Amino acid sequence: MTEAALERPDGPQSPARPAKPPPSPLLIGGVLGAVAVTGVAGWAIDFTLTPVIEQWSTLTMILEEVVHPEWAEITDPASRLWTALMETAAIAVIATFVGSLIALGVALLGSKVSAPPGVYRVTKSLMSVIRSLPDMAYALVFVAVVTGPLPGILALTIFNVGIVAKLTAESIDAVDHGPLEALDAAGATRWQRARVAIVPQVLPSYASYVLYVFELNIRASVVLGAVGAGGVGQLIMLYFNRADYPRLAAVVIVIFAAVIAIDLLSQALRRRLV
Amino acid sequence: MTPATATRPKPPPKWPYTVAGLALVGVVLAAGWSLEDARWERLPQFPGAIWQYAAQMVDGVLTWPGAHPDGQADPDLTYGDWWLQALKLMGESVALAWIGTCVGALVSFPLAFLAASNTAPWFVRMPVRTFFNAIRAVPEILLAVIVMLPLFGLNPMAGAMAIGIHSIGSLGKLTLESIEAIDPGPVEAVVASGATWWQRIRTAVIPQLLPETVGFWLYRFEVNIRASAILGVVSAGGIGALLSRVLRGREWEWGGIMLVVIIFVTILVDQISAALRHRILHGADATAVAA
């Protein structure tokens, strides 16, 4: 096809091709801002990737050890690993149960659908303060009172209340108002409205949030152990400090398998719920 | 009287819920029982102790920054120095989270195209998806302890890389899901005009995808700021290392100052990021004039 064939006689059907709009100043500003922030952040933490090349032998050595774990740690049901893992599971179960129960109440106080305006504003800002502290900080404070699994349970419970209450409150904000109006017309109290019209509507999504935090808890309890709040994290720090890589590798493999198994299980359950 | 008014429908049976509820309580009690060294009898001590610690933390926060704290080795040390140090380390945490997010975003974005069902064949998709799932299953702290600390030493780069690698998994999954959810119309249009795979991605997929993806990146940045505080505990940079040392040493006044800085900076970054995400996803408000 030649150029001439593509050209069409002038007329109203052949307007000039519209020009591409120039990028908006906001976009340019945003990109420049992101680049600037990245530059400053990289400078602040001395960004470098040279160790990846220089320490390549360290990396291969680590990988070598990870693929040759201490199998006895995994196969022996009486090993420290399984004891710690059971402890982690128990901590996660208790924290999820208690945290989710409290969270349902807090969520009802934290939505404008179910609580008076003053109450819901105060609850909301309180929750955002509680959420902004890492679970680690709670664990560190609680460990000062008593060591062992108890501070871990309490720290995770608070963490769970924060997440489940926020998500559930958002679901409550979005409930169908029909049943609520019907109850209001019949003169229901706040408690009756919550029990009859709100909770049944949000129950499926609430249940799926609970499963979601249960997944998070397994991961988080690994972290909490690192500050002495019990469970498998404590074991990881022990083996790390002893540089016992084969045992550490065994722990990592089991945690990896457990997290994937629980993910799959809770995904299947959640698919049924929602 | 018609039969319709006589038979009110029966509510569904409640016993399955009762059984499930009791089973759940049983599991929780069994879990509590299995924790032999949980020392439940110490539970009542918590409110009193926490109240006392909190009071000291508030004291520390409310003290004039020029004052000198008691019992410190350095007599010139002021509360202001504590504030400055907390801010500096929190800045390092934020920087580390940002770099980690950048690493996650830059690596996950191209990989997501190799993992979505509408842009990649199954034999490419499967390994990439497995890779995403695998790295998501390893908590950041494990990555830091096992790979990054030996590699980078006890410094913020180790934390940034641990966060970055972990973010690849979650960002990759979110991005691939939104690639699969795009409108197929524009893609069909470009395919009909004979576009190559690359042209299809560039002109029909990426423009649809970009706002949502940038939103995910910002969201991940918020998550990573929280994660970076934790990584400090294993000395992978940021405010966590000092926080853990100070709280373990029961220096509650200083600890209170650090916690206030963490809360303040986290909420501030969340607010900025939420505003940016809203602007990116929903465009300018009706009041703002489009440029």
mmCIF file of all heavy atoms in Angstrom, chain A residues 26 38 48 51 87 94 97 132-133 136 142 144 146-147 149-150 154 219 223 236 240 245 252 256, chain B residues 28 32 35 37-39 46 50 98 134 136 142 145-146 150-151 157 230 233 250 259 263 279:
data_model
loop_
_atom_site.group_PDB
_atom_site.id
_atom_site.type_symbol
_atom_site.label_atom_id
_atom_site.label_comp_id
_atom_site.label_asym_id
_atom_site.label_seq_id
_atom_site.Cartn_x
_atom_site.Cartn_y
_atom_site.Cartn_z
ATOM 1 N N LEU A 26 0.561 17.273 37.255
ATOM 2 C CA LEU A 26 0.464 16.441 38.454
ATOM 3 C C LEU A 26 1.235 15.143 38.283
ATOM 4 O O LEU A 26 1.933 14.681 39.185
ATOM 5 C CB LEU A 26 -1.009 16.111 38.701
ATOM 6 C CG LEU A 26 -1.551 16.673 39.991
ATOM 7 C CD1 LEU A 26 -2.993 17.057 39.809
ATOM 8 C CD2 LEU A 26 -1.388 15.688 41.102
ATOM 9 N N THR A 38 12.970 8.279 46.330
ATOM 10 C CA THR A 38 13.788 7.078 46.189
ATOM 11 C C THR A 38 15.263 7.414 46.349
ATOM 12 O O THR A 38 16.008 6.693 47.023
ATOM 13 C CB THR A 38 13.551 6.433 44.808
ATOM 14 O OG1 THR A 38 12.157 6.293 44.621
ATOM 15 C CG2 THR A 38 14.220 5.089 44.713
ATOM 16 N N THR A 48 23.154 -0.434 48.217
ATOM 17 C CA THR A 48 24.223 -1.094 47.476
ATOM 18 C C THR A 48 23.817 -2.521 47.183
ATOM 19 O O THR A 48 23.119 -3.145 47.981
ATOM 20 C CB THR A 48 25.545 -1.098 48.268
ATOM 21 O OG1 THR A 48 26.427 -2.016 47.641
ATOM 22 C CG2 THR A 48 25.340 -1.549 49.707
ATOM 23 N N PRO A 51 27.280 -6.478 47.747
ATOM 24 C CA PRO A 51 27.458 -7.718 48.516
ATOM 25 C C PRO A 51 26.902 -8.941 47.806
ATOM 26 O O PRO A 51 27.421 -10.048 47.987
ATOM 27 C CB PRO A 51 26.693 -7.453 49.814
ATOM 28 C CG PRO A 51 26.676 -5.995 49.959
ATOM 29 C CD PRO A 51 26.641 -5.450 48.570
ATOM 30 N N GLU A 87 3.170 -25.028 70.150
ATOM 31 C CA GLU A 87 2.968 -23.849 70.990
ATOM 32 C C GLU A 87 2.509 -22.668 70.133
ATOM 33 O O GLU A 87 1.557 -21.962 70.487
ATOM 34 C CB GLU A 87 4.278 -23.517 71.693
ATOM 35 C CG GLU A 87 4.114 -22.493 72.782
ATOM 36 C CD GLU A 87 5.398 -22.326 73.579
ATOM 37 O OE1 GLU A 87 5.610 -23.092 74.520
ATOM 38 O OE2 GLU A 87 6.179 -21.419 73.245
ATOM 39 N N ILE A 94 -5.768 -19.300 70.221
ATOM 40 C CA ILE A 94 -6.354 -18.544 71.333
ATOM 41 C C ILE A 94 -6.469 -17.067 70.969
ATOM 42 O O ILE A 94 -7.510 -16.438 71.176
ATOM 43 C CB ILE A 94 -5.515 -18.718 72.610
ATOM 44 C CG1 ILE A 94 -5.498 -20.191 73.015
ATOM 45 C CG2 ILE A 94 -6.074 -17.867 73.741
ATOM 46 C CD1 ILE A 94 -4.539 -20.507 74.126
ATOM 47 N N PHE A 97 -9.283 -16.423 68.481
ATOM 48 C CA PHE A 97 -10.615 -16.577 69.064
ATOM 49 C C PHE A 97 -10.965 -15.367 69.930
ATOM 50 O O PHE A 97 -11.978 -14.692 69.707
ATOM 51 C CB PHE A 97 -10.651 -17.867 69.894
ATOM 52 C CG PHE A 97 -11.987 -18.192 70.465
ATOM 53 C CD1 PHE A 97 -12.973 -18.765 69.678
ATOM 54 C CD2 PHE A 97 -12.270 -17.930 71.796
ATOM 55 C CE1 PHE A 97 -14.208 -19.070 70.208
ATOM 56 C CE2 PHE A 97 -13.504 -18.227 72.335
ATOM 57 C CZ PHE A 97 -14.479 -18.802 71.540
ATOM 58 N N SER A 132 -1.488 1.401 64.531
ATOM 59 C CA SER A 132 -0.253 1.956 64.009
ATOM 60 C C SER A 132 0.969 1.476 64.790
ATOM 61 O O SER A 132 2.086 1.651 64.336
ATOM 62 C CB SER A 132 -0.317 3.479 64.005
ATOM 63 O OG SER A 132 -0.416 3.920 65.324
ATOM 64 N N LEU A 133 0.768 0.862 65.958
ATOM 65 C CA LEU A 133 1.908 0.290 66.678
ATOM 66 C C LEU A 133 2.141 -1.125 66.173
ATOM 67 O O LEU A 133 1.201 -1.901 66.076
ATOM 68 C CB LEU A 133 1.624 0.236 68.169
ATOM 69 C CG LEU A 133 1.978 1.471 68.957
ATOM 70 C CD1 LEU A 133 1.627 1.273 70.415
ATOM 71 C CD2 LEU A 133 3.456 1.774 68.830
ATOM 72 N N MET A 136 5.034 -6.143 67.449
ATOM 73 C CA MET A 136 6.281 -6.295 68.154
ATOM 74 C C MET A 136 6.367 -5.418 69.399
ATOM 75 O O MET A 136 6.839 -5.847 70.443
ATOM 76 C CB MET A 136 7.358 -5.820 67.186
ATOM 77 C CG MET A 136 8.646 -6.267 67.549
ATOM 78 S SD MET A 136 8.555 -8.005 67.269
ATOM 79 C CE MET A 136 10.190 -8.249 66.904
ATOM 80 N N PHE A 142 4.733 -6.375 76.910
ATOM 81 C CA PHE A 142 4.132 -7.458 77.694
ATOM 82 C C PHE A 142 5.194 -8.415 78.229
ATOM 83 O O PHE A 142 5.031 -8.989 79.306
ATOM 84 C CB PHE A 142 3.115 -8.238 76.849
ATOM 85 C CG PHE A 142 1.932 -7.411 76.447
ATOM 86 C CD1 PHE A 142 1.182 -7.743 75.327
ATOM 87 C CD2 PHE A 142 1.565 -6.299 77.183
ATOM 88 C CE1 PHE A 142 0.095 -6.974 74.957
ATOM 89 C CE2 PHE A 142 0.479 -5.526 76.817
ATOM 90 C CZ PHE A 142 -0.257 -5.862 75.695
ATOM 91 N N ALA A 144 7.875 -7.630 79.389
ATOM 92 C CA ALA A 144 8.432 -7.054 80.605
ATOM 93 C C ALA A 144 7.622 -7.469 81.830
ATOM 94 O O ALA A 144 8.136 -7.471 82.951
ATOM 95 C CB ALA A 144 8.460 -5.528 80.494
ATOM 96 N N VAL A 146 5.714 -10.574 82.085
ATOM 97 C CA VAL A 146 5.990 -11.982 82.286
ATOM 98 C C VAL A 146 6.438 -12.570 80.951
ATOM 99 O O VAL A 146 5.981 -12.137 79.893
ATOM 100 C CB VAL A 146 4.750 -12.733 82.853
ATOM 101 C CG1 VAL A 146 3.551 -12.599 81.941
ATOM 102 C CG2 VAL A 146 5.041 -14.193 83.093
ATOM 103 N N THR A 147 7.380 -13.532 80.979
ATOM 104 C CA THR A 147 7.828 -14.138 79.717
ATOM 105 C C THR A 147 7.002 -15.388 79.414
ATOM 106 O O THR A 147 6.125 -15.757 80.191
ATOM 107 C CB THR A 147 9.316 -14.525 79.794
ATOM 108 O OG1 THR A 147 9.490 -15.336 80.946
ATOM 109 C CG2 THR A 147 10.194 -13.321 79.855
ATOM 110 N N PRO A 149 4.547 -17.831 76.656
ATOM 111 C CA PRO A 149 3.541 -17.635 75.609
ATOM 112 C C PRO A 149 2.507 -16.552 75.946
ATOM 113 O O PRO A 149 1.917 -15.982 75.037
ATOM 114 C CB PRO A 149 2.834 -18.991 75.512
ATOM 115 C CG PRO A 149 3.655 -19.942 76.283
ATOM 116 C CD PRO A 149 4.472 -19.170 77.259
ATOM 117 N N LEU A 150 2.288 -16.259 77.234
ATOM 118 C CA LEU A 150 1.218 -15.336 77.605
ATOM 119 C C LEU A 150 1.355 -13.956 76.939
ATOM 120 O O LEU A 150 0.397 -13.459 76.346
ATOM 121 C CB LEU A 150 1.147 -15.227 79.129
ATOM 122 C CG LEU A 150 -0.100 -14.585 79.712
ATOM 123 C CD1 LEU A 150 -1.364 -15.236 79.187
ATOM 124 C CD2 LEU A 150 -0.074 -14.662 81.227
ATOM 125 N N LEU A 154 -1.318 -12.156 74.239
ATOM 126 C CA LEU A 154 -1.915 -10.825 74.419
ATOM 127 C C LEU A 154 -1.566 -9.893 73.257
ATOM 128 O O LEU A 154 -2.436 -9.180 72.744
ATOM 129 C CB LEU A 154 -1.434 -10.218 75.741
ATOM 130 C CG LEU A 154 -1.982 -10.912 76.986
ATOM 131 C CD1 LEU A 154 -1.375 -10.293 78.232
ATOM 132 C CD2 LEU A 154 -3.491 -10.821 77.048
ATOM 133 N N ARG A 219 2.156 -16.405 60.875
ATOM 134 C CA ARG A 219 3.361 -15.683 60.492
ATOM 135 C C ARG A 219 3.841 -14.773 61.616
ATOM 136 O O ARG A 219 5.014 -14.708 61.928
ATOM 137 C CB ARG A 219 3.093 -14.820 59.273
ATOM 138 C CG ARG A 219 3.349 -15.536 57.998
ATOM 139 C CD ARG A 219 2.820 -14.710 56.878
ATOM 140 N NE ARG A 219 1.804 -15.471 56.194
ATOM 141 C CZ ARG A 219 1.578 -15.378 54.907
ATOM 142 N NH1 ARG A 219 2.277 -14.556 54.193
ATOM 143 N NH2 ARG A 219 0.657 -16.110 54.351
ATOM 144 N N VAL A 223 7.391 -14.124 64.394
ATOM 145 C CA VAL A 223 8.084 -12.885 64.711
ATOM 146 C C VAL A 223 8.127 -12.653 66.223
ATOM 147 O O VAL A 223 9.145 -12.280 66.796
ATOM 148 C CB VAL A 223 7.366 -11.707 64.026
ATOM 149 C CG1 VAL A 223 7.967 -10.402 64.436
ATOM 150 C CG2 VAL A 223 7.398 -11.897 62.529
ATOM 151 N N ILE A 236 13.895 -20.098 66.366
ATOM 152 C CA ILE A 236 14.651 -19.542 65.240
ATOM 153 C C ILE A 236 15.793 -18.684 65.752
ATOM 154 O O ILE A 236 16.933 -18.800 65.305
ATOM 155 C CB ILE A 236 13.724 -18.695 64.343
ATOM 156 C CG1 ILE A 236 12.742 -19.606 63.630
ATOM 157 C CG2 ILE A 236 14.528 -17.887 63.341
ATOM 158 C CD1 ILE A 236 11.656 -18.873 62.909
ATOM 159 N N PHE A 240 19.677 -19.330 65.233
ATOM 160 C CA PHE A 240 20.401 -18.273 64.520
ATOM 161 C C PHE A 240 21.607 -17.826 65.340
ATOM 162 O O PHE A 240 22.712 -17.698 64.815
ATOM 163 C CB PHE A 240 19.466 -17.093 64.249
ATOM 164 C CG PHE A 240 20.151 -15.898 63.659
ATOM 165 C CD1 PHE A 240 20.776 -15.984 62.432
ATOM 166 C CD2 PHE A 240 20.163 -14.681 64.331
ATOM 167 C CE1 PHE A 240 21.404 -14.885 61.877
ATOM 168 C CE2 PHE A 240 20.786 -13.580 63.782
ATOM 169 C CZ PHE A 240 21.407 -13.683 62.555
ATOM 170 N N TYR A 245 22.870 -23.701 61.177
ATOM 171 C CA TYR A 245 22.081 -23.551 59.953
ATOM 172 C C TYR A 245 21.279 -24.784 59.555
ATOM 173 O O TYR A 245 20.145 -24.648 59.099
ATOM 174 C CB TYR A 245 22.950 -23.042 58.805
ATOM 175 C CG TYR A 245 23.012 -21.547 58.790
ATOM 176 C CD1 TYR A 245 23.964 -20.861 59.514
ATOM 177 C CD2 TYR A 245 22.064 -20.818 58.084
ATOM 178 C CE1 TYR A 245 23.985 -19.483 59.533
ATOM 179 C CE2 TYR A 245 22.079 -19.435 58.091
ATOM 180 C CZ TYR A 245 23.046 -18.769 58.821
ATOM 181 O OH TYR A 245 23.052 -17.414 58.844
ATOM 182 N N VAL A 252 12.735 -23.580 58.946
ATOM 183 C CA VAL A 252 12.202 -22.786 57.833
ATOM 184 C C VAL A 252 11.332 -23.645 56.931
ATOM 185 O O VAL A 252 10.235 -23.237 56.526
ATOM 186 C CB VAL A 252 13.355 -22.153 57.024
ATOM 187 C CG1 VAL A 252 12.813 -21.474 55.786
ATOM 188 C CG2 VAL A 252 14.108 -21.172 57.880
ATOM 189 N N PHE A 256 7.393 -22.960 56.320
ATOM 190 C CA PHE A 256 7.001 -22.752 54.936
ATOM 191 C C PHE A 256 5.827 -23.668 54.580
ATOM 192 O O PHE A 256 4.789 -23.220 54.083
ATOM 193 C CB PHE A 256 8.226 -23.067 54.082
ATOM 194 C CG PHE A 256 8.057 -22.820 52.632
ATOM 195 C CD1 PHE A 256 7.927 -21.539 52.151
ATOM 196 C CD2 PHE A 256 8.055 -23.877 51.745
ATOM 197 C CE1 PHE A 256 7.787 -21.322 50.800
ATOM 198 C CE2 PHE A 256 7.916 -23.666 50.395
ATOM 199 C CZ PHE A 256 7.785 -22.381 49.914
ATOM 200 N N VAL B 28 -10.215 -24.226 71.447
ATOM 201 C CA VAL B 28 -9.525 -23.119 72.110
ATOM 202 C C VAL B 28 -9.086 -23.530 73.514
ATOM 203 O O VAL B 28 -7.949 -23.271 73.934
ATOM 204 C CB VAL B 28 -10.432 -21.871 72.152
ATOM 205 C CG1 VAL B 28 -9.789 -20.775 72.973
ATOM 206 C CG2 VAL B 28 -10.708 -21.386 70.755
ATOM 207 N N GLY B 32 -5.351 -23.801 75.083
ATOM 208 C CA GLY B 32 -4.936 -23.163 76.332
ATOM 209 C C GLY B 32 -4.310 -24.174 77.285
ATOM 210 O O GLY B 32 -3.300 -23.909 77.934
ATOM 211 N N LEU B 35 -0.648 -25.241 76.562
ATOM 212 C CA LEU B 35 0.444 -24.310 76.858
ATOM 213 C C LEU B 35 0.812 -24.439 78.328
ATOM 214 O O LEU B 35 0.268 -23.744 79.178
ATOM 215 C CB LEU B 35 0.007 -22.875 76.546
ATOM 216 C CG LEU B 35 -0.162 -22.540 75.074
ATOM 217 C CD1 LEU B 35 -0.784 -21.168 74.930
ATOM 218 C CD2 LEU B 35 1.159 -22.597 74.354
ATOM 219 N N ASP B 37 3.566 -23.734 80.038
ATOM 220 C CA ASP B 37 4.258 -22.655 80.742
ATOM 221 C C ASP B 37 3.631 -21.289 80.462
ATOM 222 O O ASP B 37 4.317 -20.285 80.459
ATOM 223 C CB ASP B 37 5.753 -22.651 80.396
ATOM 224 C CG ASP B 37 5.981 -22.702 78.899
ATOM 225 O OD1 ASP B 37 4.992 -22.892 78.164
ATOM 226 O OD2 ASP B 37 7.135 -22.538 78.464
ATOM 227 N N ALA B 38 2.326 -21.269 80.210
ATOM 228 C CA ALA B 38 1.690 -19.992 79.901
ATOM 229 C C ALA B 38 1.481 -19.127 81.142
ATOM 230 O O ALA B 38 1.323 -17.922 81.040
ATOM 231 C CB ALA B 38 0.350 -20.211 79.209
ATOM 232 N N ARG B 39 1.486 -19.747 82.325
ATOM 233 C CA ARG B 39 1.320 -18.992 83.585
ATOM 234 C C ARG B 39 0.111 -18.058 83.541
ATOM 235 O O ARG B 39 0.235 -16.838 83.645
ATOM 236 C CB ARG B 39 2.598 -18.228 83.903
ATOM 237 C CG ARG B 39 3.705 -19.197 84.303
ATOM 238 C CD ARG B 39 4.924 -18.468 84.756
ATOM 239 N NE ARG B 39 5.784 -18.150 83.636
ATOM 240 C CZ ARG B 39 6.924 -17.492 83.739
ATOM 241 N NH1 ARG B 39 7.331 -17.072 84.899
ATOM 242 N NH2 ARG B 39 7.652 -17.261 82.687
ATOM 243 N N PHE B 46 -1.377 -8.014 84.564
ATOM 244 C CA PHE B 46 -1.130 -7.193 83.384
ATOM 245 C C PHE B 46 -1.710 -5.783 83.476
ATOM 246 O O PHE B 46 -0.973 -4.826 83.260
ATOM 247 C CB PHE B 46 -1.613 -7.902 82.120
ATOM 248 C CG PHE B 46 -0.569 -8.804 81.540
ATOM 249 C CD1 PHE B 46 -0.471 -10.110 81.947
ATOM 250 C CD2 PHE B 46 0.333 -8.322 80.614
ATOM 251 C CE1 PHE B 46 0.512 -10.943 81.430
ATOM 252 C CE2 PHE B 46 1.318 -9.151 80.087
ATOM 253 C CZ PHE B 46 1.393 -10.457 80.500
ATOM 254 N N ILE B 50 0.816 -2.726 83.081
ATOM 255 C CA ILE B 50 0.751 -1.939 81.844
ATOM 256 C C ILE B 50 0.412 -0.489 82.173
ATOM 257 O O ILE B 50 0.975 0.449 81.597
ATOM 258 C CB ILE B 50 -0.310 -2.518 80.875
ATOM 259 C CG1 ILE B 50 -0.008 -3.975 80.540
ATOM 260 C CG2 ILE B 50 -0.413 -1.694 79.603
ATOM 261 C CD1 ILE B 50 1.251 -4.209 79.785
ATOM 262 N N TRP B 98 10.594 2.130 51.928
ATOM 263 C CA TRP B 98 10.400 2.673 50.582
ATOM 264 C C TRP B 98 11.259 1.910 49.571
ATOM 265 O O TRP B 98 10.778 1.508 48.499
ATOM 266 C CB TRP B 98 10.735 4.172 50.573
ATOM 267 C CG TRP B 98 10.599 4.794 49.230
ATOM 268 C CD1 TRP B 98 11.568 4.887 48.278
ATOM 269 C CD2 TRP B 98 9.417 5.379 48.663
ATOM 270 N NE1 TRP B 98 11.071 5.500 47.152
ATOM 271 C CE2 TRP B 98 9.757 5.809 47.356
ATOM 272 C CE3 TRP B 98 8.118 5.576 49.124
ATOM 273 C CZ2 TRP B 98 8.834 6.431 46.518
ATOM 274 C CZ3 TRP B 98 7.203 6.193 48.287
ATOM 275 C CH2 TRP B 98 7.561 6.619 46.999
ATOM 276 N N ALA B 134 5.492 -19.008 46.865
ATOM 277 C CA ALA B 134 6.571 -19.485 47.736
ATOM 278 C C ALA B 134 7.155 -18.331 48.534
ATOM 279 O O ALA B 134 7.313 -18.431 49.757
ATOM 280 C CB ALA B 134 7.645 -20.170 46.912
ATOM 281 N N ARG B 136 5.813 -15.539 49.264
ATOM 282 C CA ARG B 136 4.851 -14.959 50.199
ATOM 283 C C ARG B 136 4.768 -15.755 51.490
ATOM 284 O O ARG B 136 4.397 -15.236 52.538
ATOM 285 C CB ARG B 136 3.466 -14.897 49.549
ATOM 286 C CG ARG B 136 3.159 -13.541 49.029
ATOM 287 C CD ARG B 136 1.794 -13.440 48.436
ATOM 288 N NE ARG B 136 1.282 -14.687 47.934
ATOM 289 C CZ ARG B 136 0.166 -15.242 48.358
ATOM 290 N NH1 ARG B 136 -0.548 -14.670 49.285
ATOM 291 N NH2 ARG B 136 -0.234 -16.380 47.842
ATOM 292 N N LEU B 142 12.294 -14.165 58.632
ATOM 293 C CA LEU B 142 13.060 -15.363 58.294
ATOM 294 C C LEU B 142 14.011 -15.072 57.138
ATOM 295 O O LEU B 142 15.177 -15.468 57.169
ATOM 296 C CB LEU B 142 12.115 -16.489 57.877
ATOM 297 C CG LEU B 142 11.544 -17.339 58.992
ATOM 298 C CD1 LEU B 142 10.759 -18.489 58.407
ATOM 299 C CD2 LEU B 142 12.660 -17.877 59.859
ATOM 300 N N VAL B 145 16.868 -13.095 58.537
ATOM 301 C CA VAL B 145 17.787 -13.846 59.394
ATOM 302 C C VAL B 145 18.625 -14.807 58.563
ATOM 303 O O VAL B 145 19.832 -14.946 58.750
ATOM 304 C CB VAL B 145 16.984 -14.605 60.471
ATOM 305 C CG1 VAL B 145 17.830 -15.664 61.118
ATOM 306 C CG2 VAL B 145 16.466 -13.644 61.507
ATOM 307 N N ILE B 146 17.979 -15.496 57.621
ATOM 308 C CA ILE B 146 18.685 -16.575 56.935
ATOM 309 C C ILE B 146 19.526 -16.095 55.775
ATOM 310 O O ILE B 146 20.657 -16.544 55.592
ATOM 311 C CB ILE B 146 17.666 -17.628 56.463
ATOM 312 C CG1 ILE B 146 17.070 -18.243 57.709
ATOM 313 C CG2 ILE B 146 18.309 -18.670 55.585
ATOM 314 C CD1 ILE B 146 16.378 -19.485 57.508
ATOM 315 N N PRO B 150 23.411 -12.507 56.726
ATOM 316 C CA PRO B 150 24.740 -12.991 56.348
ATOM 317 C C PRO B 150 25.294 -12.276 55.120
ATOM 318 O O PRO B 150 26.497 -12.063 55.006
ATOM 319 C CB PRO B 150 24.513 -14.471 56.034
ATOM 320 C CG PRO B 150 23.264 -14.836 56.723
ATOM 321 C CD PRO B 150 22.439 -13.600 56.779
ATOM 322 N N LEU B 151 24.393 -11.868 54.213
ATOM 323 C CA LEU B 151 24.822 -11.286 52.948
ATOM 324 C C LEU B 151 25.215 -9.820 53.116
ATOM 325 O O LEU B 151 26.262 -9.387 52.673
ATOM 326 C CB LEU B 151 23.682 -11.408 51.946
ATOM 327 C CG LEU B 151 24.038 -11.483 50.477
ATOM 328 C CD1 LEU B 151 24.998 -12.620 50.222
ATOM 329 C CD2 LEU B 151 22.765 -11.685 49.668
ATOM 330 N N MET B 157 20.284 -2.183 54.603
ATOM 331 C CA MET B 157 20.144 -2.841 53.303
ATOM 332 C C MET B 157 19.561 -4.252 53.473
ATOM 333 O O MET B 157 18.776 -4.718 52.643
ATOM 334 C CB MET B 157 21.510 -2.934 52.600
ATOM 335 C CG MET B 157 21.744 -1.977 51.463
ATOM 336 S SD MET B 157 20.335 -1.667 50.433
ATOM 337 C CE MET B 157 20.382 -3.075 49.337
ATOM 338 N N ILE B 230 9.684 -4.219 62.770
ATOM 339 C CA ILE B 230 9.956 -5.543 63.300
ATOM 340 C C ILE B 230 11.359 -5.999 62.949
ATOM 341 O O ILE B 230 12.063 -6.588 63.763
ATOM 342 C CB ILE B 230 8.920 -6.534 62.729
ATOM 343 C CG1 ILE B 230 7.568 -6.265 63.380
ATOM 344 C CG2 ILE B 230 9.347 -7.958 62.935
ATOM 345 C CD1 ILE B 230 6.424 -6.891 62.666
ATOM 346 N N VAL B 233 14.455 -5.575 65.143
ATOM 347 C CA VAL B 233 14.731 -6.426 66.302
ATOM 348 C C VAL B 233 15.829 -7.433 66.004
ATOM 349 O O VAL B 233 16.580 -7.813 66.881
ATOM 350 C CB VAL B 233 13.426 -7.104 66.766
ATOM 351 C CG1 VAL B 233 13.676 -8.052 67.902
ATOM 352 C CG2 VAL B 233 12.455 -6.033 67.199
ATOM 353 N N ARG B 250 13.677 -1.654 80.106
ATOM 354 C CA ARG B 250 12.624 -1.013 80.884
ATOM 355 C C ARG B 250 12.835 0.487 81.033
ATOM 356 O O ARG B 250 12.550 1.072 82.073
ATOM 357 C CB ARG B 250 12.509 -1.649 82.269
ATOM 358 C CG ARG B 250 12.075 -3.084 82.189
ATOM 359 C CD ARG B 250 12.288 -3.803 83.486
ATOM 360 N NE ARG B 250 11.815 -5.172 83.351
ATOM 361 C CZ ARG B 250 10.670 -5.603 83.878
ATOM 362 N NH1 ARG B 250 9.920 -4.814 84.579
ATOM 363 N NH2 ARG B 250 10.297 -6.843 83.693
ATOM 364 N N LEU B 259 7.649 5.219 70.889
ATOM 365 C CA LEU B 259 6.341 4.735 70.426
ATOM 366 C C LEU B 259 5.520 5.879 69.843
ATOM 367 O O LEU B 259 4.857 5.712 68.818
ATOM 368 C CB LEU B 259 5.585 4.061 71.572
ATOM 369 C CG LEU B 259 6.183 2.728 72.029
ATOM 370 C CD1 LEU B 259 5.330 2.111 73.134
ATOM 371 C CD2 LEU B 259 6.297 1.746 70.870
ATOM 372 N N ILE B 263 3.991 5.930 66.133
ATOM 373 C CA ILE B 263 2.562 6.125 65.845
ATOM 374 C C ILE B 263 2.372 7.327 64.934
ATOM 375 O O ILE B 263 1.678 7.256 63.924
ATOM 376 C CB ILE B 263 1.766 6.345 67.155
ATOM 377 C CG1 ILE B 263 1.800 5.084 68.012
ATOM 378 C CG2 ILE B 263 0.322 6.724 66.859
ATOM 379 C CD1 ILE B 263 1.055 5.228 69.312
ATOM 380 N N ARG B 279 -6.520 9.843 44.938
ATOM 381 C CA ARG B 279 -6.350 10.724 43.780
ATOM 382 C C ARG B 279 -6.057 9.899 42.530
ATOM 383 O O ARG B 279 -6.575 10.166 41.452
ATOM 384 C CB ARG B 279 -5.219 11.717 44.083
ATOM 385 C CG ARG B 279 -4.837 12.658 42.954
ATOM 386 C CD ARG B 279 -5.962 13.597 42.633
ATOM 387 N NE ARG B 279 -5.649 14.435 41.487
ATOM 388 C CZ ARG B 279 -5.704 14.039 40.232
ATOM 389 N NH1 ARG B 279 -6.036 12.784 39.973
ATOM 390 N NH2 ARG B 279 -5.422 14.860 39.249
#
